[in-house]
Amino acid sequence: MVHPTLRRCLFWAHLATGVIAGLVILILAVTGILMSFETQVIGRAESKIVTSKAPVSGTPAGPEELVEAYKASGLPGRPTTLVISSDPEDPAIFQAGREGRQLFHPTTKESLGKGAEGTRRFFQIAVSLHRWLTWPAQRAEGQGQQGQGGPGREGMGMAQRGEGGQGQGPQAQAPGGARGESGQSRPPGAQGESPGEGRNQPLTWRNVGGQITMASTLVFGFLLVSGLVLWIPRKFSKKAFKAVMVPQTRLKGRARDWNWHNLAGFWAAPLLLLVIVTGTIMGYPWANRLMFKAVGEEPPVRQGPGGGEGGGGAREGAGQGEGRPPSEGGGERRRFRGEGGEQAQGEGGERRERGPRPEGAQIAGGDNAGAEGGERRRPRGEGDEQAQGEGGERRERGPRPEGAQAAGGGNAGADGGERRRPRGEGAEGGGMAMGGERRGRGGQQDTRPIVATGLNQALAAAKQDLPAWETITLDLPGDTTKPVTATVTDAGRGRPDRRVKLTIDRETMAVTARENSFEKLTTGGKMRQFVRWLHTGEAGGAFGQFLAALGCVSAVVLVYTGFALAWRRLAGMIKNKRAKKKESAA
C-alpha cells in the first residue's frame, strides 16, 4: 500500500508531466501505429504494380536476362545489386545507390519505375514526424538521405532493410553497424545521428524536435511507472482490483475514462516499457553505453569519418559533423574539404607554422601555400608525424601542375601531383558502395560494365544452399576474376541473425564460404542489433508487429483518457471555486 503523501505527490507530478508531454506522446503513438506494418504495406503496393502490368506466369527471368533488360532500358546509373524475391509477384529490384532503385517485372522483364513512391513517401513522413516532429522535404533524384536509409526506418542506427539492396550483407554494413549519410560503417552501438548525440549540433528544428521526442519518451517512462504505482488500490480487495483490471462497459463520463485509463496502463505496461527502453537506447548515447556496461562490456568507440580511432579524437556516441575542440598543445585541428577524416597523430592533428601571408596568397584545400613567408603547412607524413591514420589515406604532396585537379576519390594522375589513396584500401572502415562495390571519395561508384555471366548459376547455388530463402541479393560484379557474392535472408526486412553472405566460386559455382556477421558479435553487440527490431516488434515477425501496434493503440487511449480526466478535474475545480464565491457573496 502506498503512503498517502507519496501517492498525492506522484499524482500531481503524473498529471502535470502528462499534460505537458501528452501531445508529443500522442504523435509518437499515432505514427508508431502507421508504421507498424510498413514492410507488408510497401510489399503489397509494389506487388500490385507488377500484377497490374502483366500477370505473373511462367518461369521467372534469371539475373542474366534481367541485367540485359536493364542495359536495354537505357536507365541512368550503374546498379550494384539485384534483389530476387521468393514471392513470384514481387518485382526484381536493381539498386544503383541510395535513391536509385529500379523495379522490373519478374517474368516480362519490363521496367516498372521506382516502385510505390507515394506509399514510401507516406512512411517517410511518418518516420520524420516520429523521430524529429518535422515534415520531410522532397529530394532530387539521386540525392542521398541523411541517416534514414530510404523512406523506411533503416537509418536509425540499426539493422537495415532486406530489400532493394539497401544494407545487404557485410559489404554495405559493418558487422552489426549502421550506415549514415556518407556510407561509412560504424560498430554496433556507435550511433551516427541520434537525437541525443552531438554536443555542438546546429540549432535547427530537426535537432530540437529530436530532443523533444526523446525527452518525451523519458517522460512517458515516468508516467508509466508512476501510473503503475498509482494503479495499486488503496485497499486490497477483489472488487478494487476488478475496477482497474476488467473493462466496465456500462460506465460513462469520468468513471469510464478512469476505467479505460487504468486498463490500458496495466495491460499494455510490458509492451510500452519495452518500446520506451529500446527507444531510449537508440536515442541517447548514455543509455547505449549503459546497455553495454550491463553485460560487462566496454561500449564501442565510434570511428571517425575515415574509419580510424587515432589521435583525431574519435569519441563514442559523437554525432556526425560535431565540431572538434582545439588541441591542448596550441595547435589547430582542421579537416580540409574533401579529406576523408584522417586521424592525425601528434598535438593538434596537423602541425602548422604561421607567418605573414603575402598579398594575394590563398590557402587552397589542403595544399601547402607556395608563397614565401606565407602560411606553410607541413602535411602529415613529413618529419615525425604519422602519414596515415587507421582507415585514413596516404598522401604525398608536391606542386600540382597547372590544370591538374584531384578527383573526388581517385588518384591524381599528374606527375608530382597529389596522390591520394582512397579510404578503405588496405584498411578497415573504408567506404563501400551499396551492395559491396567500392566507391571512391565523393560517392563515385564502380562504372565498369556489369559482368552478368554466371549469375544464373550463382542464384541457383544460393537457392540450393538455403532452400528456405526469402530474398537473395546478388552483387553485380565488374570483374570476372572475383567470386560472386550473394546475401540470403529467410526473414522479413533482413533480420541480422537471419542474414547470410555466401561466396560462390565462378568456375565451379560452388559455395566456398558462408558468413553471418551477427554470430561474430559480442553479447552487447547482439543486444544492440536487436534493440531496433524489438522497438518495432519485427523481432517477433507479424505477431510482434501486431503487439507493437497494440502498444501504440494503448498509448493513444492513455493520452486521450488522461487529457479527458485532467479536463474534467480542471472543470470541476473551476466550478467549485465559482460556487464558493457565490456562497461567500450571499
Side-chain angles (χ1 to χ4, degrees), residues 209-406:
Q211 294 291 344
I212 291 174
T213 58
M214 288 312 306
S216 299
T217 302
L218 293 178
V219 169
F220 193 24
F222 167 75
L223 291 172
L224 197 60
V225 174
S226 60
L228 289 173
V229 175
L230 295 172
W231 173 90
I232 300 174
R234 288 182 172 86
K235 294 182 180 180
F236 286 9
S237 65
K238 183 178 180 181
K239 183 178 180 181
F241 277 101
K242 183 179 179 181
V244 292
M245 293 181 66
V246 180
Q248 307 292 325
T249 57
R250 296 183 179 180
L251 299 178
K252 294 182 179 180
R254 181 181 180 278
R256 179 200 59 203
D257 294 338
W258 184 85
N259 179 249
W260 286 8
H261 197 75
N262 282 276
L263 283 174
F266 176 76
W267 291 111
L271 297 175
L272 293 176
L273 280 175
L274 181 63
V275 171
I276 291 168
V277 170
T278 53
T280 303
I281 292 173
M282 290 189 293
Y284 284 113
W286 59 263
N288 184 65
R289 289 192 294 269
L290 189 62
M291 184 198 66
F292 279 92
K293 294 286 187 181
V295 294
E297 297 180 14
E298 285 296 322
V301 177
R302 179 187 164 263
Q303 296 181 341
E309 300 177 16
R315 181 166 41 236
E316 190 277 329
Q320 268 190 320
E322 181 177 351
R324 301 185 179 183
S327 68
E328 296 178 0
E332 182 182 11
R333 280 196 188 127
R334 184 177 300 182
R335 189 189 327 175
F336 298 119
R337 189 176 306 162
E339 291 188 6
E342 301 166 352
Q343 306 300 330
Q345 189 164 340
E347 293 182 15
E350 181 174 356
R351 191 180 305 278
R352 300 172 179 243
E353 299 175 10
R354 296 187 179 274
R357 185 181 300 170
E359 185 176 354
Q362 295 181 350
I363 307 298
D367 296 329
N368 299 332
E372 220 174 282
E375 179 179 356
R376 186 172 66 84
R377 304 182 182 182
R378 190 173 72 183
R380 302 177 189 90
E382 290 187 15
D384 297 330
E385 295 180 19
Q386 184 171 326
Q388 182 181 358
E390 290 183 38
E393 61 185 31
R394 187 178 304 278
R395 301 185 173 220
E396 298 174 6
R397 297 185 182 269
R400 184 178 296 167
E402 184 177 356
Q405 296 181 352

Side-chain angles (χ1 to χ4, degrees), residues 3 6 26 43 52 59 90 104 107 129 167 206 209 252 312 326 357 399 452 455 467 526 530 545 554 578 586:
H3 192 276
L6 176 60
L26 180 64
S52 64
T59 304
D90 284 350
F104 277 74
T107 56
L129 290 172
R206 177 187 174 97
K252 294 182 179 180
R357 185 181 300 170
L455 291 182
K526 291 178 180 178
F530 260 90
Q545 292 173 272
S554 301
R578 289 177 178 174

Side-chain angles (χ1 to χ4, degrees), residues 61-68 70 78-85 91-96 102-106 163-166 168 434-435 450 452 455-456 459 471-477 485-487:
E64 297 178 12
E65 292 77 16
L66 290 169
V67 169
E68 294 303 321
Y70 186 96
R78 194 267 196 199
T80 55
T81 58
L82 170 61
V83 182
I84 304 293
S85 174
I93 304 174
F94 286 95
Q95 186 68 30
Q102 293 288 341
L103 276 58
F104 277 74
H105 197 283
E163 67 180 63
Q166 299 184 22
Q168 292 291 339
M434 305 300 287
I450 300 173
L455 291 182
N456 287 353
L459 178 64
T471 62
I472 297 178
T473 303
L474 293 169
D475 289 345
L476 301 179
T485 56
T487 304

Side-chain angles (χ1 to χ4, degrees), residues 170-227:
Q171 301 105 323
Q173 182 176 334
R179 181 174 299 282
E181 179 183 15
S182 56
Q184 295 131 13
S185 299
R186 295 184 292 277
Q191 296 136 294
E193 193 193 335
S194 296
E197 288 190 15
R199 303 176 185 173
N200 299 321
Q201 291 185 348
L203 189 62
T204 63
W205 177 247
R206 177 187 174 97
N207 292 332
V208 173
Q211 294 291 344
I212 291 174
T213 58
M214 288 312 306
S216 299
T217 302
L218 293 178
V219 169
F220 193 24
F222 167 75
L223 291 172
L224 197 60
V225 174
S226 60

Side-chain angles (χ1 to χ4, degrees), residues 474-491:
L474 293 169
D475 289 345
L476 301 179
D479 190 348
T480 57
T481 62
K482 294 182 179 180
V484 179
T485 56
T487 304
V488 187
T489 177
D490 62 350

